[in-house]
Coordinates of all heavy atoms in Angstrom, one line a residue:
L109 N -7.0 7.2 -2.6 CA -6.6 7.8 -1.4 C -7.7 8.8 -0.9 O -8.0 9.7 -1.6 CB -5.3 8.6 -1.8 CG -4.5 9.2 -0.6 CD1 -4.0 8.1 0.3 CD2 -3.3 9.9 -1.2
S110 N -8.2 8.5 0.2 CA -9.3 9.3 0.7 C -8.8 10.6 1.2 O -7.6 10.8 1.5 CB -10.1 8.5 1.9 OG -9.2 8.5 3.0
A111 N -9.7 11.6 1.4 CA -9.3 12.9 1.9 C -8.7 12.7 3.3 O -7.8 13.4 3.7 CB -10.5 13.8 2.0
E112 N -9.3 11.7 4.1 CA -8.8 11.5 5.5 C -7.3 10.9 5.4 O -6.5 11.3 6.2 CB -9.7 10.5 6.2 CG -9.3 10.2 7.6 CD -10.3 9.3 8.3 OE1 -11.4 9.7 8.5 OE2 -9.9 8.1 8.6
D113 N -7.1 9.9 4.5 CA -5.8 9.4 4.3 C -4.8 10.5 3.9 O -3.7 10.5 4.4 CB -5.8 8.3 3.3 CG -6.4 7.0 3.8 OD1 -6.5 6.8 5.0 OD2 -6.9 6.2 2.9
R114 N -5.2 11.3 3.0 CA -4.3 12.3 2.4 C -3.9 13.3 3.6 O -2.8 13.6 3.7 CB -5.1 13.1 1.3 CG -4.2 14.1 0.6 CD -5.0 14.8 -0.5 NE -5.5 13.8 -1.5 CZ -4.7 13.2 -2.4 NH1 -3.4 13.6 -2.5 NH2 -5.1 12.4 -3.3
A115 N -4.9 13.7 4.4 CA -4.6 14.6 5.5 C -3.7 13.9 6.5 O -2.8 14.6 7.0 CB -5.9 15.0 6.2
A116 N -3.9 12.7 6.8 CA -3.0 11.9 7.7 C -1.6 11.8 7.2 O -0.6 12.0 8.0 CB -3.6 10.5 8.0
L117 N -1.5 11.6 5.9 CA -0.1 11.5 5.3 C 0.6 12.9 5.4 O 1.8 12.9 5.7 CB -0.2 11.1 3.8 CG -0.5 9.6 3.6 CD1 -1.0 9.4 2.2 CD2 0.8 8.8 3.9
V118 N -0.1 14.0 5.1 CA 0.5 15.3 5.2 C 0.9 15.6 6.7 O 2.0 16.0 6.9 CB -0.5 16.4 4.7 CG1 0.1 17.8 5.0 CG2 -0.7 16.2 3.2
R119 N 0.0 15.2 7.6 CA 0.4 15.4 9.0 C 1.6 14.6 9.4 O 2.6 15.1 10.0 CB -0.8 15.0 10.0 CG -1.8 16.1 10.1 CD -2.8 15.8 11.2 NE -3.4 14.4 11.2 CZ -4.5 14.1 10.5 NH1 -5.1 15.0 9.8 NH2 -4.9 12.9 10.5
F120 N 1.6 13.3 9.0 CA 2.8 12.5 9.3 C 4.1 13.0 8.7 O 5.1 13.1 9.4 CB 2.5 11.0 8.9 CG 3.7 10.1 9.1 CD1 4.1 9.8 10.4 CD2 4.3 9.5 8.0 CE1 5.2 8.9 10.6 CE2 5.4 8.7 8.2 CZ 5.8 8.4 9.5
F121 N 4.0 13.3 7.4 CA 5.3 13.7 6.8 C 5.7 15.1 7.1 O 6.7 15.6 6.8 CB 5.2 13.5 5.3 CG 5.3 12.1 4.9 CD1 4.3 11.5 4.1 CD2 6.3 11.3 5.3 CE1 4.3 10.1 3.8 CE2 6.4 9.9 4.9 CZ 5.4 9.4 4.2
T122 N 4.8 15.8 7.9 CA 5.2 17.1 8.4 C 5.8 17.0 9.8 O 6.8 17.7 10.1 CB 3.9 18.0 8.6 OG1 3.3 18.2 7.3 CG2 4.3 19.4 9.1
V123 N 5.3 16.1 10.6 CA 5.8 15.9 12.0 C 7.0 14.9 12.0 O 8.0 15.2 12.7 CB 4.7 15.3 12.9 CG1 5.3 15.0 14.3 CG2 3.6 16.3 13.0
Q124 N 7.0 13.8 11.3 CA 8.0 12.8 11.4 C 9.4 13.3 11.0 O 10.4 13.0 11.7 CB 7.7 11.6 10.5 CG 8.5 10.4 10.7 CD 9.8 10.4 9.8 OE1 9.9 11.2 8.9 NE2 10.7 9.6 10.2
P125 N 9.6 14.2 10.0 CA 10.9 14.7 9.8 C 11.6 15.4 10.9 O 12.8 15.4 11.0 CB 10.8 15.6 8.6 CG 9.5 15.1 7.9 CD 8.6 14.7 9.0
A126 N 10.8 16.0 11.8 CA 11.4 16.6 13.0 C 12.1 15.7 13.9 O 13.0 16.0 14.7 CB 10.3 17.4 13.8
F127 N 11.8 14.4 13.8 CA 12.3 13.4 14.7 C 13.3 12.4 14.0 O 14.0 11.6 14.6 CB 11.2 12.5 15.4 CG 10.3 13.4 16.2 CD1 9.0 13.6 15.7 CD2 10.7 13.9 17.4 CE1 8.2 14.4 16.5 CE2 9.9 14.7 18.1 CZ 8.6 15.0 17.7
G128 N 13.3 12.5 12.7 CA 14.2 11.5 11.9 C 15.1 12.3 11.0 O 15.3 13.5 11.1
R129 N 15.7 11.5 10.1 CA 16.7 12.1 9.1 C 16.0 12.6 7.9 O 16.6 13.3 7.1 CB 17.7 11.0 8.8 CG 18.5 10.5 9.9 CD 19.4 9.4 9.5 NE 18.8 8.4 8.6 CZ 18.2 7.3 8.9 NH1 18.0 7.0 10.2 NH2 17.6 6.5 8.0
I130 N 14.8 12.2 7.6 CA 14.1 12.5 6.3 C 13.6 13.9 6.3 O 13.0 14.4 7.2 CB 12.9 11.5 6.1 CG1 13.4 10.1 6.1 CG2 12.2 11.8 4.8 CD1 12.4 9.0 6.1
R131 N 13.9 14.6 5.2 CA 13.4 15.9 5.0 C 12.5 16.0 3.7 O 13.0 15.6 2.7 CB 14.6 16.9 4.8 CG 15.5 16.9 6.0 CD 14.9 17.6 7.2 NE 15.8 17.6 8.3 CZ 15.6 16.9 9.4 NH1 14.6 16.0 9.5 NH2 16.5 17.0 10.4
P132 N 11.3 16.4 3.9 CA 10.4 16.4 2.7 C 10.8 17.5 1.7 O 11.2 18.6 2.2 CB 9.0 16.6 3.3 CG 9.3 17.3 4.6 CD 10.6 16.8 5.1
S133 N 10.7 17.3 0.5 CA 10.9 18.3 -0.5 C 9.6 19.0 -0.8 O 9.6 20.1 -1.4 CB 11.5 17.8 -1.8 OG 10.7 16.8 -2.4
S134 N 8.5 18.4 -0.4 CA 7.2 18.9 -0.6 C 6.2 18.3 0.3 O 6.4 17.1 0.7 CB 6.8 18.6 -2.1 OG 5.4 18.9 -2.2
L135 N 5.2 19.0 0.7 CA 4.2 18.5 1.6 C 2.9 18.3 0.8 O 1.9 17.9 1.3 CB 4.0 19.4 2.8 CG 5.2 19.5 3.7 CD1 4.9 20.4 4.9 CD2 5.6 18.1 4.2

Side-chain angles (χ1 to χ4, degrees):
L109 191 61
S110 70
E112 183 179 294
D113 288 335
R114 186 177 300 281
L117 285 161
V118 170
R119 279 192 307 273
F120 175 66
F121 287 123
T122 301
V123 173
Q124 191 274 343
F127 300 108
R129 301 178 315 271
I130 299 170
R131 301 289 180 252
S133 62
S134 169
L135 296 178

